[in-house]
Amino acid sequence: MTNTTTAPPDPSAPSAPSAPAGRTSGWIRTPHARPDATARLVCFPHAGGAANAFTALSAGLPEDIELLAVQYPGRQDRRAEPCAEDVSELAAGVAAALASRSDRPLFLLGHSMGALVAFETARLLEEHGRVARLFVSAARPPAQDWEEPDLTLVGDEELVAGLRHLGGIPEPLLRDPEIVAEVLRLLRADHRALLRHRCPEGTAVAAPVTVLLAAADPKNSLEQMADWARHTTGGQDLVTLSGGHFSLVERPGESGPILTHHIRADLARAEQVPAPAEASADAPADASAREEPLADLVREILLDGLEGRAPKLSTDLTTLEAAAREVMSPDAYAYVAGTAGSGATGRAGRAAFDRVRLVPRMLRGTRRTDTSVTLFGQRLPVPVLLAPLAAQQVAHPEGETATARAAAAAGVPMVLSTFASRTLEEVAAEAGDGPRWFQLYLPSDRAVGESLVRRAEASGYSAIVVTVDATHLGFRPAELDRGYSPFLRGTGIANFTADPAFRASLPAAADTTATVLRWAQISTDPTLTWADLAWLRRLTRLPLLVKGILHPDDARLALEHGADGVVVSTHGGRQLDGGVPALEALPGVRAAVGPDVPVLLDSGIRTGSDVVKALALGADAVLYGRPYVYGLALDGRRGVEHVLRCLLTDLGLALALTGCASLADVGPGLLFPREPVGAYGTHPLARTTSDAPGSSGTPENGERR
């Protein structure tokens, strides 16, 4: 069955006369009128439900959001009217009623069957205007088979047992025969409309869609809800609520702030003004540490300590892996934390950072530091980007959408993996106006590769990062010992299953197994050569970076075949066991490409001081990886925000404490001289302090590209 009602219709409510033709006022209820509201949230109840299901939610919304609750015919004050025969009839009635209320942005929210009515209403409204966002709760996508029984064939006792299973109706009411009879009458009538509903597979709305899924919902799963992305061209994100099937209306203190945050953020983007700082308790904090006085985060935490409050997560970012291991499934932890072979490359990567020592300079007047950097003509607020980590849903149900929101709040650009568990369009919608890049594993099916690039261009990604060190999967014992791959279980292939070229390559009526097998066949290409990079260069005008470079000659070849920059990387130690650490390879790569080519570095970075060391050795910026995924596992979006705020505060303080007012001041003069550690070429650490630029004044390195 579909859904029950948290507020059963009152059988004693006065009957209303049949609505005359063209009547629209009977469709909408306003529990709390807010004439000065800047947006309206239109709420559609579930099967058997009524407008009063949303009264508590309405009361909890702020004054700038007015809730309009839809009243279907056949219940409460519309009891004398016949129930609707199908979903489209309900949608037409609501759309007509909302025609006179389009003076403010409309946001639609549907719970269970109400999600289908809201979707069809959005389609009608978009013929004449724009729906700002569609929220869908506890509902499978409209083209999916809901597997609902014909309730006319189900006995009353069985239906009541189903109501108890889903929850939402207090037990005393389920013992009242009159109330139960009314609930079952409406439930069966609404189910008839639901069973008649048909939605073609390709039907979509332009509005972005936010899917609300309760963690303990016995009726809906994450896998069932994921396909809402196929029904929007505006992007989809998923938010997990605590509680069961009726969490949306039973826990307005949780769902209300989430709705408020999305509505205010959409309004702010539309008006190109900042969202109100007091948006909600659930809204992302202003985590832009670069614009705060350097010690603000430190001061904030210490003042909280006076009130007996400590941070939920440790500020020592090197400890998050151990904490995350306690909350992640063994399979998920093995996938995220695992490295190649004996783990030698991963250990060496961290050891390389530990061997480098900074020499601070004093009395430079660095009250604030400028952490901005220009890459490919775009000014970025920090020299840190979130590295492309695949299949983030293994760490948290919201996966990359939570990461995108956290990155946008922190002002940190995100590099999205081809193997994400959310589509690139969904992530772009969450990133808003924030800078974002797309990481590409070039598939062996070039039509799919071209389609991925075109989608990235259309979705506002401003650079393509092609990874070249994973044409073969590394030997990773942690994953192999558990026989685990998220991709073969369908997680991390969303960009393929949503891709028209990939879907066109599937056999007719391909099931999940066939889809995964096809992905495995074409997702990477072990035959790649430099000529393929030249093909990719001709395909797009976006800046093109090659990721996975360690040898200076490969850096030169990348530039010769069209790359605009390189990323020095060992893939976090996940590919080749016993490889050279990225930090040790960096100076040779920088020397090979010259001072004007953007060079980034990843693998092994954990702290703000690590970032400074990488910049001093020649990197223009870094990609930051595993720690933010551990934060995601520990506390979702807020966990990622915590990690980024700590990292950026640590970076700002590290710059100030070394005497650097901006990134232009960072150079080899900050480093303690020692024997070269680089595998290729002369290492800047070999210089003496007296020879080093900046040794007698401000360190020199020129402006960061």
Side-chain angles (χ1 to χ4, degrees), residues 605-698:
I605 296 167
R606 294 294 179 268
T607 69
S609 292
D610 290 343
V611 178
V612 174
K613 293 173 184 178
L615 300 180
L617 285 170
D620 294 294
V622 303
L623 302 182
Y624 193 65
R626 284 188 180 97
Y628 82 78
V629 178
Y630 297 139
L632 178 68
L634 289 163
D635 198 21
R637 186 203 68 233
R638 286 179 290 267
V640 180
E641 289 177 7
H642 171 82
V643 169
L644 295 180
R645 196 174 183 203
C646 288
L647 177 70
L648 298 187
T649 298
D650 189 17
L651 170 60
L653 287 169
L655 289 171
L657 291 171
T658 52
C660 299
S662 71
L663 300 189
D665 295 335
V666 180
L670 292 181
L671 304 175
F672 186 75
R674 59 185 302 279
E675 291 301 313
V677 297
Y680 315 101
T682 302
H683 194 302
L685 294 183
R687 299 172 177 170
T688 65
T689 306
S690 59
D691 293 334
S695 60
S696 59
T698 301

Side-chain angles (χ1 to χ4, degrees), residues 197-543:
H197 182 63
R198 296 292 183 270
C199 179
E201 179 67 35
T203 307
V205 294
V209 174
T210 294
V211 178
L212 304 169
L213 173 64
D217 188 345
K219 187 176 178 61
N220 297 283
S221 68
L222 184 64
E223 291 73 23
Q224 292 168 341
M225 307 277 274
D227 275 355
W228 272 101
R230 302 176 188 272
H231 294 284
T232 173
T233 60
Q236 178 219 309
D237 70 309
L238 183 142
V239 178
T240 303
L241 305 174
S242 58
H245 188 72
F246 288 98
S247 178
L248 172 74
V249 289
E250 288 182 329
R251 303 186 181 207
E254 178 182 2
S255 57
I258 292 172
L259 298 168
T260 299
H261 165 58
H262 278 78
I263 291 171
R264 285 178 166 171
D266 286 344
L267 294 177
R269 280 192 288 268
E271 298 175 6
Q272 297 184 336
V273 297
E278 69 280 10
S280 74
D282 189 73
D286 180 6
S288 183
R290 66 194 180 278
E291 295 183 358
E292 299 176 86
L294 290 174
D296 265 11
L297 175 62
V298 176
R299 185 180 301 109
E300 176 185 312
I301 292 174
L302 296 179
L303 289 176
D304 282 346
L306 293 177
E307 304 294 329
R309 298 189 301 271
K312 182 176 181 179
L313 305 183
S314 175
T315 58
D316 181 353
L317 302 182
T318 66
T319 69
L320 295 183
E321 178 179 348
R325 186 171 192 172
E326 297 299 315
V327 302
M328 298 176 73
S329 71
D331 286 344
Y333 176 78
Y335 171 72
V336 173
T339 55
S342 67
T345 304
R347 293 192 300 273
R350 279 303 306 150
F353 280 97
D354 290 340
R355 285 195 298 270
V356 175
R357 295 288 184 263
L358 297 170
V359 183
R361 302 301 303 274
M362 301 296 123
L363 302 180
R364 299 298 181 93
T366 51
R367 181 176 183 273
R368 292 178 181 268
T369 55
D370 177 10
T371 59
S372 62
V373 60
T374 299
L375 292 174
F376 308 110
Q378 185 176 30
R379 196 72 170 174
L380 303 180
V382 290
V384 178
L385 299 89
L386 292 190
L389 274 74
Q392 292 181 26
Q393 192 180 330
V394 303
H396 188 274
E398 293 183 43
E400 291 83 358
T401 54
T403 298
R405 291 196 296 273
V412 175
M414 178 180 182
V415 185
L416 180 71
S417 172
T418 297
F419 297 157
S421 46
R422 293 286 182 267
T423 67
L424 60 90
E425 290 85 2
E426 295 172 68
V427 174
E430 291 304 319
D433 295 331
R436 52 190 177 272
W437 297 359
F438 182 68
Q439 177 270 340
L440 177 68
Y441 289 107
L442 193 59
S444 59
D445 185 331
R446 289 295 184 267
V448 176
E450 180 173 356
S451 181
L452 289 169
V453 171
R454 297 297 180 223
R455 289 168 59 200
E457 292 172 331
S459 298
Y461 292 82
S462 56
I464 301 293
V465 182
V466 59
T467 297
V468 296
D469 62 357
T471 53
H472 299 269
L473 186 66
F475 190 82
R476 305 172 187 173
E479 298 170 48
L480 295 173
D481 289 353
R482 302 195 64 83
Y484 178 72
S485 166
F487 311 108
L488 298 184
R489 289 163 170 78
T491 299
I493 65 173
N495 278 321
F496 289 81
T497 57
D499 190 87
F502 177 80
R503 294 181 66 82
S505 73
L506 293 173
D511 59 10
T512 300
T513 300
T515 300
V516 171
L517 289 176
R518 176 59 179 165
W519 171 87
Q521 290 173 343
I522 64 98
S523 57
T524 58
D525 186 354
T527 69
L528 284 180
T529 68
W530 291 111
D532 296 296
L533 181 65
W535 172 84
L536 183 59
R537 173 69 288 167
R538 293 191 296 271
L539 186 63
T540 180
R541 294 184 179 181
L542 290 178

Side-chain angles (χ1 to χ4, degrees), residues 28-31 40-44 54 58 66-70 98 101 106-107 109:
I28 303 297
R29 304 289 178 269
T30 309
R40 290 189 171 112
L41 176 65
V42 186
C43 297
F44 297 73
F54 299 102
S58 174
E66 183 179 64
L67 186 145
L68 307 181
V70 173
L98 293 175
R101 299 173 186 255
L106 290 176
F107 295 78
L109 165 63

